[in-house]
């Protein structure tokens, strides 16, 4: 199988929701059919990636899979570089079963560049997300309902900017959306951190 890596700048606005707030936004917009995905998060026992602010996961969809690495940039809190290596479902499951990352892609090379031993990586978190998407001129509006290893759930709203979206207009749209439904601005704990916390509680 030929693997092609993608690398892109990700700009996004996020807010945690209650179940009621989630349902109100879901009802208001014409969201596409939900996408179900399972995320397995990786790090070393000494949290080498966490110390660098990097997130690493294998993500499994219904018919395909991928491994991704999110790297912070110097451009601001909402900016990340995301590197993606496509995987087959069978390949991803084998990697998850053995708690491994595929070493042959761009992420494997990045880990080598960071002098992080690939064999030291282990699964440290799990999250299963049902995701609803609504493409708009302001970006991709996303609703996530996520369950964790200990069966806890949370709800989140995200606006991911597209190349055509104007950042200022997108931020105004997102803040207006929160105001419309009287949703307070809640600090979002990174989903990786949430997944790790719930994973530890279940073990």
């Amino acid at each position: 199988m030929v693997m092609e890596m993608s690398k892109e700048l990700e700009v996004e606005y996020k807010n945690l929701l209650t179940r009621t707030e989630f349902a109100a936004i879901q009802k208001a917009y014409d969201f596409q059919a939900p996408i179900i995905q399972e995320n397995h998060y990786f790090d070393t026992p000494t949290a080498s990636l966490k110390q660098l602010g990097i997130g690493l996961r294998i993500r499994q969809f219904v018919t395909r899979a991928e491994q991704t690495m999110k790297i912070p940039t110097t451009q601001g809190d909402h900016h990340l570089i995301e590197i993606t290596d496509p995987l087959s479902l069978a390949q991803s499951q084998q990697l998850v079963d053995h708690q491994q990352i595929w070493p042959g892609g761009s992420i494997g090379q990045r880990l080598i560049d960071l002098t992080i031993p690939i064999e030291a990586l282990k699964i440290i978190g799990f999250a299963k997300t049902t995701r609803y998407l609504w493409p708009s001129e302001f970006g991709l509006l996303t609703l996530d309902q996520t369950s964790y290893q200990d069966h806890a759930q949370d709800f989140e709203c995200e606006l991911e900017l597209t190349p055509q979206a104007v950042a200022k207009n997108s931020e105004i749209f997102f803040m207006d959306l929160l105001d419309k439904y009287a949703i307070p601005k809640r600090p979002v704990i990174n989903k990786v951190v949430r997944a790790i916390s719930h994973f530890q509680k279940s073990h």
Side-chain angles (χ1 to χ4, degrees):
M1 179 173 58
V2 177
M3 296 293 178
E4 296 181 356
M5 180 274 291
S6 69
K7 179 179 179 180
E8 59 185 29
L9 177 65
E10 186 178 80
V11 184
E12 56 193 20
Y13 301 98
K14 294 184 176 184
N15 206 74
L16 291 176
L17 306 174
T18 65
R19 185 186 294 271
T20 301
E21 293 163 352
F22 181 94
I25 296 176
Q26 184 182 16
K27 184 178 180 181
Y29 296 93
D30 187 20
F31 286 93
Q32 300 171 354
I35 300 168
I36 298 174
Q37 56 194 34
E38 294 188 357
N39 296 294
H40 299 268
Y41 299 97
F42 290 76
D43 205 340
T44 68
T46 56
S48 302
L49 294 176
K50 179 182 178 182
Q51 293 174 37
L52 297 171
I54 294 173
L56 177 61
R57 71 188 170 202
I58 287 180
R59 171 176 282 177
Q60 297 171 308
F61 300 93
V62 175
T63 59
R64 62 182 181 86
E66 62 191 20
Q67 60 184 23
T68 66
M69 176 182 280
K70 290 191 176 185
I71 305 169
T73 75
T74 58
Q75 298 183 40
D77 293 340
H78 301 294
H79 293 70
L80 296 168
I81 293 290
E82 181 169 312
I83 302 173
T84 302
D85 291 323
L87 302 170
S88 69
L89 270 181
Q91 183 184 21
S92 70
Q93 192 57 54
Q94 185 177 33
L95 290 167
V96 166
D97 290 344
H98 291 86
Q99 298 198 48
Q100 295 175 342
I101 287 292
W102 181 54
S106 295
I107 290 173
Q109 184 58 54
R110 182 59 64 98
L111 290 168
I112 291 172
D113 294 341
L114 294 169
T115 67
I116 296 175
I118 293 177
E119 63 274 11
L121 295 168
K122 300 296 179 185
I123 293 176
I124 57 165
F126 170 80
K128 182 177 181 178
T129 297
T130 301
R131 172 165 289 181
Y132 299 85
L133 303 174
W134 180 65
S136 78
E137 62 182 297
F138 305 105
L140 189 61
L141 184 62
T142 303
L143 290 180
D144 281 352
Q145 178 179 348
T146 302
S147 58
Y148 299 97
Q149 191 78 14
D150 61 354
H151 306 296
Q153 280 193 335
D154 61 32
F155 303 86
E156 185 176 5
C157 180
E158 174 184 315
L159 182 66
E160 183 177 329
L161 272 64
T162 57
Q164 296 78 23
V166 179
K168 181 180 178 180
N169 293 341
S170 297
E171 185 175 12
I172 291 172
F173 167 79
F174 189 74
M175 299 310 296
D176 286 348
L177 175 67
L178 299 184
D179 289 341
K180 181 178 180 180
Y181 295 98
I183 300 171
K185 189 74 177 74
R186 301 183 181 102
V188 178
I189 300 172
N190 185 283
K191 189 175 288 183
V192 180
V193 176
R194 282 141 55 194
I196 293 170
S197 174
H198 290 290
F199 191 83
Q200 291 172 342
K201 290 176 183 178
S202 68
H203 286 72

